[in-house]
């Protein structure tokens, strides 16, 4: 039973714990949810709820006065906010991921998720943010259970085909420009130019996946095939014979001996064998 409960924890089959809170750190039902919200006491991830106030909060692409807004202006407004938050939070430690939601539902709109490299860095940032304000609004910060954003992010949104729009229950993560990303994350050692939305491990470097050409050639030279079968102890000689690595090469191949010489050699071997017996 314990193994079964562990296997379904945080999934739709779990009738006790809320899967949405487990996956995205937020639930549309809030405290009225019929399932438990297991709030972590420590985590490398902080959730700053409803922090980003987009200029088209009421209607996407339109300001409060009903006038259309240039998409470039909206992006510049967002990137100014992103850089400001990044610079402030990076004072407490290395930031691995900083995601800002583009969703419109009340429980997700303007949510900011910051994933630090270490839990104690997130704890220091949480303590420093208590009682502070941003743009005249109090900062609401808590530890979040989200550490792998692959389960939290809407993949249809990334492919520009989410039919739920801004009211999707999975994260619609706003994207910053390449130059800003390089400027902010490029300060960290090992940055490769583009950040993943998850903490999944990077593929091994090519030098570890593939043999160097010289290594492959040396590996082939060290192989020996004797009578069509691989001899891991042997080394292939120029004359087609096989010998052990380090053993002296025979001065004359037995195949080149005459019939009388071969009979004499066999008789000598038999006498030596009988003498030992």
């Amino acid at each position: 039973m314990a193994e079964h409960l562990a296997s379904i924890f945080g999934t739709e089959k779990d009738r006790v714990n809320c899967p949405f809170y487990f996956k995205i750190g937020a639930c549309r039902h809030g405290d009225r949810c019929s399932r438990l919200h297991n709030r972590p006491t420590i985590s490398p991830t902080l959730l700053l709820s409803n922090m980003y106030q987009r200029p088209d909060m009421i209607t996407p692409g339109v300001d409060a006065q009903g006038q259309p807004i240039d998409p470039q202006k909206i992006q510049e407004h967002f990137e100014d906010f992103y850089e400001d938050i990044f610079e402030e939070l990076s004072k407490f430690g290395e930031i691995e991921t900083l995601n800002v939601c583009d969703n419109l539902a009340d429980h997700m709109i303007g949510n900011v998720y910051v994933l630090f490299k270490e839990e104690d860095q997130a704890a220091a940032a949480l303590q420093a943010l208590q009682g502070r304000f941003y743009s005249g609004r109090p900062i609401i910060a808590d530890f979040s259970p989200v550490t792998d954003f692959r389960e939290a992010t809407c993949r249809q949104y990334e492919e520009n085909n989410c039919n739920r729009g801004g009211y999707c229950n999975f994260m619609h993560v706003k994207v910053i420009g390449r130059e800003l990303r390089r400027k902010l994350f490029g300060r960290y050692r090992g940055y490769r130019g583009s950040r993943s939305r998850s903490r999944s491990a990077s593929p091994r470097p090519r030098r570890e996946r593939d043999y160097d050409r010289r290594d492959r050639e040396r590996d082939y030279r060290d192989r020996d095939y004797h009578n069509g079968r691989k001899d891991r102890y042997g080394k292939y000689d120029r004359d087609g014979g096989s010998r052990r690595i380090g053993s002296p090469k025979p001065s004359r191949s037995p195949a080149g001996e005459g019939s009388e010489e071969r009979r004499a050699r066999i008789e000598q071997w038999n006498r030596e064998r009988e003498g030992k017996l």
Side-chain angles (χ1 to χ4, degrees), residues 208-270:
E208 295 181 10
R209 297 196 306 267
D210 301 325
Y211 281 112
D212 181 85
R213 183 170 61 182
R214 290 175 300 177
D215 293 335
R216 289 199 301 268
E217 292 173 352
R218 184 171 59 250
D219 186 44
Y220 292 145
R221 288 197 303 268
D222 289 345
R223 294 182 182 181
D224 173 48
Y225 289 83
H226 182 59
N227 293 331
R229 292 181 298 177
K230 182 179 178 181
D231 180 4
R232 58 177 177 158
Y233 298 105
K235 190 169 185 179
Y236 212 65
D237 290 336
R238 291 190 180 91
D239 61 2
S242 177
R243 63 185 178 94
R244 290 185 181 275
I245 297 176
S247 62
K249 184 176 179 179
S251 59
R252 186 177 183 186
S253 171
E257 296 178 340
S259 58
E260 295 182 359
E261 293 176 335
R262 287 200 297 274
R263 283 197 298 269
R265 185 181 295 278
I266 292 172
E267 291 177 0
Q268 180 180 355
W269 286 345
N270 290 333

Side-chain angles (χ1 to χ4, degrees), residues 21 30 40 62-64 115-116 127 149 155 173 198 208 221:
Y21 182 79
V62 179
D63 63 15
L115 173 63
F116 287 92
Q127 183 178 5
F149 290 95
R155 297 178 183 176
V173 178
S198 69
E208 295 181 10
R221 288 197 303 268

